[in-house]
Amino acid sequence: MRDQGPVGEIAEQARSDAGPLCSERGVRARLAAAGLRPHHRLGQNFLCHPGILSAVVETAGLTAVDHVLEVGAGLGTLTVELARRAAGVVAVELDRNLAALLPGELRRSGVANVRVVSGDILALTNAELVLPAEGRPFKVVANLPYYLTSPILERILADWRQMQLAVVMVQEEVARRLVAGAGSPDYGALSVFVQYHAQAEVLRTVPPSAFWPRPDVRSAVVRMCRHARPPVGDVDEETFFRVVRAAFGQRRKQIRNSLGGPPLGLSREASMDALGRSGLDGSRRAETVSLEEFAVLARVVSSLSPAGRR
């Protein structure tokens, strides 16, 4: 692979004495050589802790037959370690300047099984990404941009059913939401969405000092293993999530008063009928309703006549 344009050419001059890539010195030197600075708007905080880097890679359990999708490759710190263990890596980077630096770092590190894709992970098609379009099972390993965590997780889990396992770095507050159970103050629509699709586990917290520049929040490493089947049994998925979104869309309201809101739009009579048939107390609020209870309610809603909808 070759560097793309003047950014890569300038950076190449400083690589020999830049220091390890997974270090603040190494990150600073490479960015300075290319005339770049971290973009706060893009959530650019570069991991500079070798121990945490190794832990993330080991958690993914990569073998020589695994294919990996990395979101937010940055300068390639994680990319290189993934490529040394996996059959192939698709490394996606939104920042064109960083994407231009990646080929040089990969070549210098002696890895040749990486395809760098410059673009927005939320806008790139499966054909442009190659790996999901081919229908092969794959893993996701990424230090996610914190301002886009929820939509990226939605695409990973809902759009790519062949994704088997994801190991992601997220904001600690978000990590708590991903694993929270009903009744917890952290429990919400994102909790239900993730737990419907995968078994989520917080593996470790990560202090701001592990990054440069230091973020204002603590981070956490989360592992998500996709369920072979949803844990709630057979339920129409579209209806299930319409019920969940309606319930949490007005989470301070009692659930009997929230089912009439978007995107469900049940009439008052239909809401009371559905709650009665599902055995749910209509005075409860969404944050107390478990996945299983949402599934029971969704099955009842699926059976309602169109006349019950506004």
Side-chain angles (χ1 to χ4, degrees), residues 216-237:
D216 296 328
V217 297
R218 291 179 63 84
S219 305
V221 179
V222 179
R223 177 172 55 199
M224 294 176 288
C225 301
R226 181 179 291 283
H227 295 305
R229 296 184 62 190
V232 294
D234 293 331
V235 62
D236 179 74
E237 186 171 313

Side-chain angles (χ1 to χ4, degrees), residues 28-232:
R28 284 178 176 271
R30 285 161 174 81
L31 291 178
L36 302 175
R37 293 181 179 179
H39 285 286
H40 178 73
R41 178 178 61 84
L42 298 179
Q44 291 179 349
N45 302 97
F46 300 91
L47 183 62
C48 299
H49 193 298
I52 294 173
L53 173 66
S54 297
V56 169
V57 175
E58 291 301 322
T59 297
L62 299 176
T63 69
V65 299
D66 282 322
H67 292 268
V68 181
L69 175 65
E70 181 190 8
V71 180
L75 287 168
T77 307
L78 179 58
T79 316
V80 169
E81 297 306 316
L82 296 174
R84 286 173 174 164
R85 292 165 174 78
V89 177
V90 175
V92 179
E93 175 52 52
L94 176 62
D95 188 324
R96 293 184 178 181
N97 288 326
L98 292 185
L101 295 179
L102 272 170
E105 288 294 345
L106 298 171
R107 182 181 62 247
R108 183 168 178 262
S109 300
V111 296
N113 56 339
V114 178
R115 181 172 183 266
V116 177
V117 179
S118 178
D120 182 351
I121 190 62
L122 299 178
L124 290 165
T125 66
N126 283 353
E128 290 169 322
L129 288 169
V130 176
L131 194 151
E134 293 182 1
R136 297 179 301 195
F138 67 98
K139 297 179 179 180
V140 171
V141 186
N143 180 10
L144 295 180
Y146 292 174
Y147 71 106
L148 286 176
T149 297
S150 293
I152 291 175
L153 288 178
E154 183 172 345
R155 185 164 198 199
I156 289 172
L157 291 170
D159 292 357
W160 296 329
R161 301 304 172 112
Q162 62 271 44
M163 191 285 298
Q164 298 177 315
L165 175 127
V167 179
V168 295
M169 184 94 69
V170 298
Q171 187 175 336
E172 184 182 22
E173 177 185 348
V174 174
R176 292 197 300 268
R177 291 166 57 196
L178 301 185
V179 301
S184 164
D186 297 313
Y187 183 71
L190 182 60
S191 314
V192 175
F193 172 80
V194 169
Q195 293 168 34
Y196 175 91
H197 289 288
Q199 175 67 45
E201 177 185 8
V202 178
L203 300 179
R204 66 179 299 167
T205 57
V206 181
S209 59
F211 301 89
W212 184 82
R214 295 188 178 191
D216 296 328
V217 297
R218 291 179 63 84
S219 305
V221 179
V222 179
R223 177 172 55 199
M224 294 176 288
C225 301
R226 181 179 291 283
H227 295 305
R229 296 184 62 190
V232 294

Side-chain angles (χ1 to χ4, degrees), residues 253-266:
K253 288 188 176 183
Q254 296 177 345
I255 195 168
R256 63 187 170 206
N257 296 322
S258 61
L259 297 182
L264 199 57
L266 294 184

